[in-house]
Amino acid sequence: MIGPIDLPQPPLPRRARIAVTLGDPSGIGPEITAKLLSNPANRERADIFLLADNSELRSAIEDAGGVHVSISPDSPGPHGIQVLDDNSATQYPSTRGEVSKASGGRAIHQLKRALGLVQAGEIDAIVFAPLNKSSLKLAGMTEEDELRWFANQLDFTGVTSEINIAGPLWTARVTSHIGVEEVARRITKESTLKAIELLHRLRWESGIESPRLGVCALNPHNGENGAFGRQEIEHIRPAVSAAVEKGIDVQGPFPCDTIFLKRQHFDGIVTMYHDQGQIAMKLLSFDGGVTVQGGLPIPVATPAHGTAFDIAGKNLAGVTSVQNAFDVAVTMAERRIRKEAGLVPESVSVPVKNGACVAAARVEVLNTSCC
């Protein structure tokens, strides 16, 4: 899922500790989590804590066709996962395949437990199975999305962005879950620069020593020199220039209808609004996509797909996206562990490779658009 790391990595001082939750119990989350946990390679790579009752795990294993999940009665390790059972499942009676307050409440309960482990310094990353926004709202979640909920729970006020991943390509957004009529007003030099800087840092944390970034235009044909809007001239291009001055390898803005066709030029693309990137990313990797709750104090990853109520309990759900989410979370956690131990330097911005010649070549390649 993650592209090759540029430089050899020093040995880890300790194993990464990953908290896993089943997501919405009415969907496919329990099934795909059981399949994930049955893979011994995942236990070899990290210490896994499952936040679920044992009864829920047994049901999940049955939904997954009877896979074998090794459980450790004590601490987790290569020999087994540890189930953090608080005997609370009966407080949230839910029905498979249905939106409900109980299902949303169960998902929130376990995520809060995971965040408690974060605050206690006992885990390094969270992986959660798919959630259902309607159930979450019924259970009392008032935030516009899970990312803002996580930030509020952690009292985190820094820059955040939902990060979407398809194979080696990552995208960040300047705006996210807002109405289209609000998007243009939210596109500023400052907001665009923050999104560029965040994606640069997260790609570094994922193992790319010198991330190459591209930035989307907002308007058709890159604004056509101001004929279709001035956001590119007054905000996006100045933000790109400011990022380059800080040493970030970033180019743009480029027309959004062609930039993804040239994705091999980039490790990450900054988009201006939700569907500008999401349509492209889901076409590229709907079955394997990952969402990272970017910018939080700890890596948090989840499959990019939904709860799939229509196939819940039928052993039809694929494990690819949740496996990719696990891989991303472990990689980012390991990078942070090495950083905390002083084994890797801070994220270092570097000048654009080969200077203006490369930049000009990339502009020539990318700055085209169909009508």
Side-chain angles (χ1 to χ4, degrees):
M1 183 69 190
I2 302 268
I5 293 177
D6 295 341
L7 299 177
Q9 297 296 298
L12 278 170
R14 62 175 176 82
R15 286 161 58 88
R17 303 161 300 177
I18 311 297
V20 177
T21 77
L22 300 177
D24 189 300
S26 296
I28 61 172
E31 174 188 328
I32 62 174
T33 303
K35 293 175 179 177
L36 174 76
L37 300 180
S38 71
N39 185 347
N42 294 329
R43 300 193 305 272
E44 289 289 338
R45 190 171 178 196
D47 292 341
I48 302 173
F49 299 84
L50 175 65
L51 282 75
D53 284 10
N54 285 302
S55 61
E56 293 174 303
L57 177 57
R58 287 192 295 269
S59 177
I61 290 171
E62 182 178 346
D63 286 350
V67 296
H68 175 69
V69 177
S70 295
I71 300 172
S72 169
D74 301 312
S75 59
H79 52 288
I81 69 167
Q82 185 173 3
V83 181
L84 301 182
D85 183 345
D86 68 349
N87 296 306
S88 60
T90 56
Q91 300 173 28
Y92 303 92
S94 58
T95 302
R96 181 174 289 154
E98 293 184 5
V99 170
S100 71
K101 178 180 178 180
S103 293
R106 186 61 174 162
I108 290 172
H109 172 77
Q110 298 294 23
L111 288 174
K112 285 184 175 180
R113 291 182 69 205
L115 292 175
L117 295 176
V118 170
Q119 293 166 323
E122 296 177 7
I123 63 167
D124 302 299
I126 296 172
V127 175
F128 65 92
L131 307 176
N132 182 280
K133 283 184 169 57
S134 295
S135 293
L136 295 175
K137 297 295 185 184
L138 289 174
M141 184 179 287
T142 58
E143 292 83 358
E144 61 268 28
D145 53 34
E146 296 92 315
L147 174 56
R148 184 46 43 198
W149 181 84
F150 277 113
N152 287 342
Q153 292 293 312
L154 294 169
D155 292 324
F156 181 74
T157 59
V159 178
T160 58
S161 172
E162 189 173 277
I163 306 297
N164 297 107
I165 304 172
L169 183 65
W170 292 38
T171 62
R173 307 171 190 156
V174 178
T175 69
S176 190
H177 294 108
I178 61 172
V180 174
E181 70 274 11
E182 288 290 313
V183 170
R185 186 175 62 82
R186 302 276 189 97
I187 304 300
T188 66
K189 176 184 175 181
E190 292 74 20
S191 63
T192 305
L193 178 59
K194 287 178 180 179
I196 293 169
E197 291 175 323
L198 176 61
L199 187 57
H200 172 80
R201 175 169 67 82
L202 293 175
R203 285 312 269 132
W204 179 88
E205 287 186 356
S206 73
I208 305 297
E209 295 295 337
S210 303
R212 304 164 303 156
L213 305 183
V215 178
C216 283
L218 173 66
N219 297 298
H221 299 197
N222 215 352
E224 202 74 78
N225 294 316
F228 302 151
R230 297 190 57 81
Q231 285 81 8
E232 289 76 16
I233 295 170
E234 296 177 359
H235 301 293
I236 303 174
R237 191 170 294 124
V240 171
S241 298
V244 169
E245 289 177 2
K246 294 186 175 187
I248 296 175
D249 184 354
V250 58
Q251 301 293 321
F254 298 117
C256 62
D257 58 356
T258 54
I259 188 171
F260 285 94
L261 296 176
K262 305 297 183 180
R263 59 189 177 277
Q264 69 271 19
H265 293 275
F266 304 113
D267 302 303
I269 294 175
V270 175
T271 64
M272 295 298 113
Y273 59 93
H274 185 279
D275 286 0
Q276 189 180 55
Q278 279 292 76
I279 293 171
M281 296 297 274
K282 289 189 176 183
L283 284 171
L284 290 172
S285 184
F286 183 77
D287 293 328
V290 173
T291 299
V292 169
Q293 310 297 321
L296 297 174
I298 189 170
V300 180
T302 187
H305 60 71
T307 48
F309 284 165
D310 57 322
I311 62 170
K314 299 179 180 179
N315 193 22
L316 296 176
V319 73
T320 303
S321 282
V322 73
Q323 179 64 62
N324 289 342
F326 179 85
D327 292 341
V328 166
V330 174
T331 296
M332 296 181 74
E334 289 175 343
R335 186 76 158 180
R336 291 189 179 201
I337 291 169
R338 290 190 175 97
K339 177 181 172 182
E340 290 167 1
L343 299 177
V344 294
E346 295 283 341
S347 174
V348 177
S349 301
V350 294
V352 176
K353 296 175 183 177
N354 301 325
C357 294
V358 170
R362 286 163 67 180
V363 169
E364 182 179 354
V365 169
L366 291 163
N367 200 24
T368 58
S369 174
C370 62
C371 58

